[in-house]
Amino acid sequence: MRIVLLFSALLGACLAQVVQVHADDLFIQPSVLPEYVDDRLPQCALHVFRHISKTGGTTIRFVFDRQTVMGEWEYPLTYGFKPHEWEGLLTRWKKAADNWHEKGGKGPRVLVEIRGVWPDNWPAETFFTDILPKMQELKEEYGPKGCELTTSYLMREPIGQYISFYNYYIKREQEKEVKPGERRSDPPGKLSWGHDMKEWAINVPDMQMREVMGTKCYKQFRQPGYDVQWVGDKLERKGQKIVPKQCLIRKQEWLTFTKMMRQVDVVGVTSMFNDFLFMLCDKVGMRHPQYIRSNEGKYKKGPPDPEIVELIKQVTEYDQQGHDFIKSLQEQQLANAGEDFTRRLELYKSATSEKGGKKYVGGFPVTAPYMWVDEKEANAQGVKRFVPDFFTEHTGGGQAIASSTSSR
């Protein structure tokens, strides 16, 4: 396994001058930050973001990683962490928070992303039953001590989410050729995966609501929707696979969703992504909200087929209700944020700049004082790992490790 390390990029005086770091702790000075940024950096914090597929969560991940290479936040878990990894983090975090409260110094600042699937689906399955209640418990215990514990969630209008999901995950499976020698039970190709988006979408109702619930057969979204059989060297379709009843959203799950989402500190919809991201950064204390939107425009080919739109509407009744509910909560949060927040939000949006055909929302970011490097290459060059003194775990970057191992 390759391990990715965080190390100081401040190897020359020129770079140090560009980012204007403090000599003692290497934090970016407020004078370098844009006017729209509140330069407050929390002394003790833990934030959890619930990532739903194809809603903009990958961009949030990039923003989290940005806070880490700026040397201001720790990002210590992969998005599909195991139970013992979560418990280990909480143990380390509480120990560091108690030490900061009692003795001063540097408190922990930790970012956590929950998506599940790889390498484990446990955090997705237990977001409502374990993780959110635990965050509420910690908030009650550590909030009075000065620690900030927050959560966030982002949802997308169903038609856009389905089209994006199809283009990114499903279409390539439909277009693969079936080889007679590969007699898999779930082979690629149009007979098993569907001839087009409509044949796929009809089999995957309410994807976002099912994914956020965690126990509603998420893996079924990326599996063939039709049973097939080999007749000699020829593959034939037997029929459509039936989605089990336990995988579907019912009224009870809807009531759980609305109850739990009212407890989330920052919510948003993808159509108001910049509003969501800026409020998220402002609420949590992340001082670098600039980003380039990932995958933007990759699959844009004009307006969607009206038949596809109508079909998606038919299979996303709860997704649409959930989206509208989250949008109304977001609008309430924005309305309650105050005039100064609204002023700074507009400055953030208006600072967007272009370079090399890319749009930098919030303007161009400053150069980071740290970077992720491959451990083997770093050792060969004599570069040592840098561990900020507020980290609870020495690697400090679960997502960097995830990116490295999953790309092998």
Side-chain angles (χ1 to χ4, degrees):
M1 179 188 299
R2 293 187 302 154
I3 302 297
V4 185
L5 308 175
L6 187 68
F7 85 102
S8 176
L10 298 176
L11 303 180
C14 179
L15 183 54
Q17 293 171 358
V18 170
V19 297
Q20 298 181 26
V21 299
H22 286 295
D24 56 343
D25 59 10
L26 297 178
F27 290 159
I28 301 300
Q29 292 182 353
S31 61
V32 177
L33 299 172
E35 180 185 353
Y36 57 72
V37 171
D38 182 347
D39 61 18
R40 176 189 69 89
L41 192 63
Q43 296 302 301
C44 174
L46 173 61
H47 178 76
V48 172
F49 165 62
R50 180 62 169 102
H51 179 172
I52 300 299
S53 301
K54 310 312 295 178
T55 62
T58 300
T59 299
I60 301 298
R61 181 184 307 152
F62 293 159
V63 172
F64 281 10
D65 187 63
R66 177 70 179 168
Q67 314 310 307
T68 308
V69 297
M70 296 307 292
E72 296 184 355
W73 285 82
E74 180 185 9
Y75 190 11
L77 298 179
T78 57
Y79 55 63
F81 49 83
K82 299 178 184 296
H84 74 272
E85 293 173 318
W86 170 246
E87 292 300 328
L89 170 62
L90 293 186
T91 298
R92 296 192 306 271
W93 186 91
K94 288 190 288 186
K95 181 179 179 180
D98 288 335
N99 188 66
W100 165 77
H101 178 67
E102 296 169 4
K103 302 178 182 179
K106 299 289 180 60
R109 284 187 298 276
V110 175
L111 300 170
V112 175
E113 173 194 2
I114 292 175
R115 187 179 177 208
V117 185
W118 183 92
D120 199 284
N121 201 46
W122 178 83
E125 294 173 354
T126 61
F127 178 64
F128 282 160
T129 59
D130 186 284
I131 293 175
L132 262 185
K134 175 60 68 172
M135 289 295 291
Q136 290 296 118
E137 178 184 315
L138 291 172
K139 186 180 296 187
E140 293 175 4
E141 180 179 357
Y142 284 89
K145 297 180 180 181
C147 296
E148 302 178 28
L149 294 106
T150 52
T151 53
S152 60
Y153 173 74
L154 182 65
M155 200 167 185
R156 186 173 183 177
E157 186 276 322
I159 294 171
Q161 195 251 359
Y162 268 66
I163 292 174
S164 181
F165 195 102
Y166 171 81
N167 284 326
Y168 193 82
Y169 292 115
I170 307 303
K171 189 176 181 180
R172 61 189 177 189
E173 297 296 332
Q174 292 178 340
E175 294 176 346
K176 288 180 180 178
E177 293 186 9
V178 182
K179 298 179 181 180
E182 297 181 2
R183 293 175 176 266
R184 294 157 43 188
S185 58
D186 285 332
K190 297 181 183 299
L191 288 176
S192 54
W193 286 83
H195 286 82
D196 52 25
M197 187 184 301
K198 290 182 287 186
E199 281 205 339
W200 163 75
I202 193 67
N203 291 322
V204 284
D206 293 312
M207 286 200 300
Q208 293 181 78
M209 290 291 293
R210 290 168 62 192
E211 184 173 350
V212 75
M213 295 306 299
T215 57
K216 293 294 180 178
C217 315
Y218 165 78
K219 293 183 179 180
Q220 184 256 337
F221 304 165
R222 292 162 64 178
Q223 294 173 346
Y226 299 88
D227 288 316
V228 294
Q229 63 181 359
W230 288 96
V231 180
D233 289 337
K234 185 179 180 182
L235 191 66
E236 295 182 355
R237 179 182 288 183
K238 295 171 59 178
Q240 181 178 342
K241 293 182 178 180
I242 304 300
V243 180
K245 290 183 178 180
Q246 65 267 26
C247 300
L248 301 176
I249 298 296
R250 298 162 298 184
K251 184 177 180 179
Q252 183 57 49
E253 284 84 27
W254 168 252
L255 294 176
T256 298
F257 173 81
T258 56
K259 176 183 177 181
M260 301 305 286
M261 282 301 159
R262 287 190 176 95
Q263 301 176 21
V264 176
D265 298 281
V266 182
V267 299
V269 293
T270 306
S271 60
M272 299 170 63
F273 183 84
N274 291 339
D275 304 74
F276 168 78
L277 176 58
F278 188 75
M279 174 166 278
L280 173 63
C281 290
D282 199 66
K283 177 76 173 180
V284 175
M286 295 185 289
R287 306 195 299 177
H288 308 279
Q290 301 93 344
Y291 76 95
I292 304 173
R293 191 166 184 173
S294 63
N295 298 324
E296 185 175 29
K298 187 174 182 180
Y299 300 107
K300 289 182 178 178
K301 297 181 180 179
D305 184 336
E307 292 186 8
I308 292 175
V309 171
E310 184 58 34
L311 175 62
I312 294 174
K313 287 181 179 179
Q314 292 175 13
V315 298
T316 57
E317 178 183 356
Y318 277 109
D319 272 7
Q320 187 62 59
Q321 290 181 33
H323 172 272
D324 293 345
F325 175 75
I326 292 298
K327 184 178 180 181
S328 68
L329 289 182
Q330 180 182 19
E331 290 171 344
Q332 291 173 23
Q333 292 178 352
L334 289 169
N336 295 333
E339 293 182 1
D340 181 65
F341 173 86
T342 302
R343 178 188 66 83
R344 291 186 292 110
L345 173 60
E346 294 308 312
L347 287 176
Y348 169 68
K349 293 178 179 179
S350 63
T352 298
S353 304
E354 291 193 32
K355 184 178 181 180
K358 297 180 179 180
K359 287 186 177 181
Y360 293 77
V361 178
F364 301 120
V366 297
T367 302
Y370 308 102
M371 64 184 296
W372 295 105
V373 297
D374 183 273
E375 183 177 39
K376 184 177 181 180
E377 296 175 2
N379 290 338
Q381 298 181 37
V383 176
K384 295 182 179 180
R385 183 196 304 269
F386 179 82
V387 183
D389 54 8
F390 64 90
F391 273 22
T392 66
E393 199 274 331
H394 71 284
T395 65
Q399 179 52 34
I401 296 174
S403 297
S404 175
T405 57
S406 62
S407 64
R408 292 182 63 187

